[in-house]
Amino acid sequence: MFFRLAKIIKNFTLNNSKKNLNGVVPIKDQCYKELEITYDWYREKPLNILTQKKKGGPIDVYKEFKGDGRVVRVGLEFETGNISSAHRSMNKLLLGMNHQELELGVILMPVYALSYYLTDRVSNYEELEPYFELAEYTPFIFIGFNANQFDPSVEAIPKGKDGMSKRSIKKMDGKIIIKPPHSFHHGDN
Amino acid sequence: MFFRLAKIIKNFTLNNSKKNLNGVVPIKDQCYKELEITYDWYREKPLNILTQKKKGGPIDVYKEFKGDGRVVRVGLEFETGNISSAHRSMNKLLLGMNHQELELGVILMPVYALSYYLTDRVSNYEELEPYFELAEYTPFIFIGFNANQFDPSVEAIPKGKDGMSKRSIKKMDGKIIIKPPHSFHHGDN
DNA sequence: TCTGGATCCACA
DNA sequence: TGTG
DNA sequence: GATCCAGA
Ligand SMILES: [Mn+2]
Ligand SMILES: [Mn+2]
C-alpha cells in the first residue's frame, strides 16, 4: 500500500538575468494553495510538545494518511526563508517525530541552482545536506526543487521590504525613504 | 578534576529606552576578545566532518583542555544572530560531537529580557529552550546572559557598520591578523 | 556561485 | 503580545 | 520569514 503525498509539478520560468534578483514569497504561496486545495493538506499544524511547552509555532503543512487501519501523520515544511531557518524547520519536525506526533517529516526547498537567482542566502538543498545525518534515525525526506526553465526576459518575482531591504521603513534610524511597492505578481503559474 | 572554561562577568549597562534599540556586534566582540586573550580559546575552528563534505563553515570558538592524560575538546558558539541561526549553531556542535570531534558543546546567547532591547529576533535562551532536548544524549551547555543593568540614559549600542571595526583574531591553525581594536563603550564596563 | 551573520517585516 |  | 552585509 502506498499513498501519493502530492504531485505538484508546475512549469515555472524564472528570470536569470542577475544573481539574487527574484523574491521568494509568491513561490510558496502557489505551492501551499495546491497542497490545500488539490491534496487536502492542512496549514499551520501546532505540535503538542510545543503547545505544552507554551513556546514555538506550528508546522507549515500537515496531513494524516489513513489506510489499513492505521494513520501516517506527515509534517511538511516549505522552506524559502534563510538557510538558518531550515535548521529550525528540521529541528521542529524532529521534535514532532521524537514525540510520536509525526511518522514522517518533509522539507521542501530550492536547489542551489535555483536559489542563486532568489533572495540571497535562502534555504537550498545543498547547504542543508551536511546536516541530513542528524535525522539519520528518523523518517525524513528532503526535497530540492528547481525552476523548469530560466529566461532573462520574463518578469522577475518581486521582493518584499523585510530586513535589510532598501524599502525597509526603519532602516537603522531616521531617514525614512520608502519606495512604492510593485504588483506582487509574476510570470506564469 | 575540573577546568574553568572561562569566567567573563562584566558589568554592562544597556539602554532600555525602547524595544530593539541596540545593535549586537560590539557585544560579541568584547566577549571574543576576552576568551582569546584571557583564556586562550581559538576562533573559527573547522570541523573535519564538514571539511570532508566540503560544505559548511567553522565553529566560533574552540579550546582543548588537557589533563589526566586526556583531552577535552570544547566547541562554543556565541549566538547573537537571528534565533534560527542558533538552530544551525546547535546542529553544527551536535555534528561535531556525533563525530567524536568535540566532547562538549556550548552555546552562549542573550536571555529574552536582554534580547528585548537588542536587534529584533536575535537568539535568546527561552526561544531555543524547547529544542534543548534534541541534544539530550549529547554533552551540551546552554548559557543565557543578561545585561547587568538597564539605564535609558546610556548611549545605545550602534547598529550596522557603525558597530563594526575588525580587530585581530586568534585562529587554531592560521595566522593572526592584526588590526587596531575600536573603542567599545556603552555606559560602564 | 562561500558562509555566518545582522537587521527589519508581516500577521497572529 | 510572539514566531516564522 | 525575508532581505541584504561583511569578510575570508
Ligand atoms: Mn512555518
Ligand atoms: Mn516554511
Side-chain angles (χ1 to χ4, degrees):
Chain A
M1 178 188 75
F2 74 91
F3 291 109
R4 179 194 298 284
L5 294 181
K7 177 184 177 181
I8 305 175
I9 300 180
K10 293 194 106 57
N11 284 324
F12 153 45
T13 304
L14 190 77
N15 184 310
N16 65 340
S17 62
K18 187 185 169 198
K19 179 174 172 8
N20 303 142
L21 175 69
N22 303 278
V24 90
V25 174
I27 297 175
K28 57 189 300 186
D29 285 352
Q30 252 343 255
C31 188
Y32 283 148
K33 194 185 305 181
E34 196 82 6
L35 282 169
E36 289 183 74
I37 298 175
T38 308
Y39 298 94
D40 296 308
W41 288 66
Y42 289 85
R43 290 298 309 285
E44 322 266 279
K45 162 71 174 174
L47 285 178
N48 292 321
I49 180 63
L50 290 177
T51 299
Q52 282 156 17
K53 296 191 182 194
K54 292 188 291 293
K55 198 72 188 167
I59 285 180
D60 273 356
V61 202
Y62 175 83
K63 184 173 181 179
E64 299 182 353
F65 292 84
K66 301 172 184 175
D68 284 359
R70 65 177 176 141
V71 180
V72 177
R73 296 159 297 177
V74 183
L76 183 157
E77 292 278 343
F78 191 95
E79 263 292 341
T80 48
N82 187 289
I83 175 64
S84 64
S85 181
H87 286 265
R88 172 175 51 206
S89 287
M90 181 172 76
N91 287 171
K92 186 177 293 186
L93 290 169
L94 286 173
L95 216 51
M97 290 185 278
N98 286 168
H99 288 267
Q100 284 74 49
E101 294 190 52
L102 298 174
E103 276 74 41
L104 175 64
V106 182
I107 293 184
L108 251 174
M109 61 200 142
V111 292
Y112 178 84
L114 169 60
S115 71
Y116 187 83
Y117 296 105
L118 302 178
T119 296
D120 190 26
R121 308 301 288 118
V122 297
S123 298
N124 63 89
Y125 183 94
E126 290 84 346
E127 194 167 351
L128 187 62
E129 193 172 17
Y131 298 90
F132 289 179
E133 59 174 83
L134 292 176
E136 189 173 13
Y137 304 111
T138 314
F140 222 115
I141 299 179
F142 297 95
I143 301 176
F145 63 89
N146 200 346
N148 218 293
Q149 212 170 206
F150 292 93
D151 182 337
S153 73
V154 302
E155 189 181 0
I157 301 177
K159 289 181 175 179
K161 52 186 179 182
D162 315 51
M164 306 301 284
S165 167
K166 289 176 181 59
R167 292 175 52 217
S168 167
I169 296 181
K170 304 182 74 167
K171 219 39 181 166
M172 257 55 133
D173 327 281
K175 44 266 168 182
I176 305 175
I177 303 174
I178 310 175
K179 295 180 186 171
H182 338 23
S183 54
F184 236 51
H185 272 308
H186 91 277
D188 53 87
N189 26 270
Chain B
M1 179 189 76
F2 73 92
F3 292 109
R4 179 193 298 285
L5 292 181
K7 177 182 177 182
I8 304 174
I9 300 180
K10 293 194 107 55
N11 284 323
F12 151 44
T13 304
L14 190 77
N15 183 311
N16 66 338
S17 62
K18 186 183 170 199
K19 179 171 165 25
N20 303 140
L21 174 68
N22 304 278
V24 90
V25 174
I27 297 175
K28 57 190 304 185
D29 280 356
Q30 206 46 205
C31 188
Y32 284 148
K33 195 185 309 182
E34 195 82 7
L35 282 169
E36 291 172 45
I37 299 174
T38 309
Y39 298 96
D40 296 309
W41 287 68
Y42 289 83
R43 292 295 309 286
E44 323 224 314
K45 161 72 174 172
L47 285 179
N48 293 151
I49 180 63
L50 290 178
T51 299
Q52 283 156 17
K53 296 190 181 193
K54 290 190 292 292
K55 197 73 187 167
I59 285 179
D60 266 358
V61 202
Y62 174 82
K63 185 174 182 179
E64 300 182 351
F65 293 84
K66 301 171 184 175
D68 284 359
R70 64 176 178 146
V71 180
V72 177
R73 297 160 296 177
V74 184
L76 183 158
E77 292 279 342
F78 192 96
E79 263 293 339
T80 49
N82 187 290
I83 174 65
S84 64
S85 181
H87 284 266
R88 173 175 50 206
S89 287
M90 180 172 78
N91 287 171
K92 185 177 294 186
L93 290 169
L94 287 173
L95 216 50
M97 289 186 278
N98 286 168
H99 287 267
Q100 284 74 49
E101 294 190 52
L102 298 174
E103 276 72 44
L104 175 64
V106 182
I107 293 184
L108 251 173
M109 62 200 141
V111 293
Y112 176 84
L114 169 60
S115 70
Y116 187 85
Y117 297 106
L118 303 178
T119 297
D120 190 28
R121 308 301 289 122
V122 297
S123 298
N124 64 89
Y125 184 95
E126 290 84 346
E127 194 167 352
L128 188 62
E129 193 172 16
Y131 298 90
F132 288 177
E133 60 174 82
L134 293 176
E136 189 172 14
Y137 304 111
T138 314
F140 222 115
I141 299 179
F142 297 95
I143 301 176
F145 64 88
N146 200 346
N148 217 291
Q149 213 168 204
F150 293 93
D151 182 336
S153 72
V154 301
E155 189 182 359
I157 299 176
K159 288 181 176 178
K161 46 198 181 312
D162 295 332
M164 310 285 198
S165 144
K166 288 296 80 159
R167 59 169 229 288
S168 67
I169 76 171
K170 188 160 59 178
K171 289 193 181 184
M172 196 62 190
D173 14 58
K175 46 281 150 204
I176 300 176
I177 310 164
I178 307 295
K179 282 202 60 180
H182 64 289
S183 59
F184 174 66
H185 69 296
H186 50 278
D188 55 75
N189 86 95

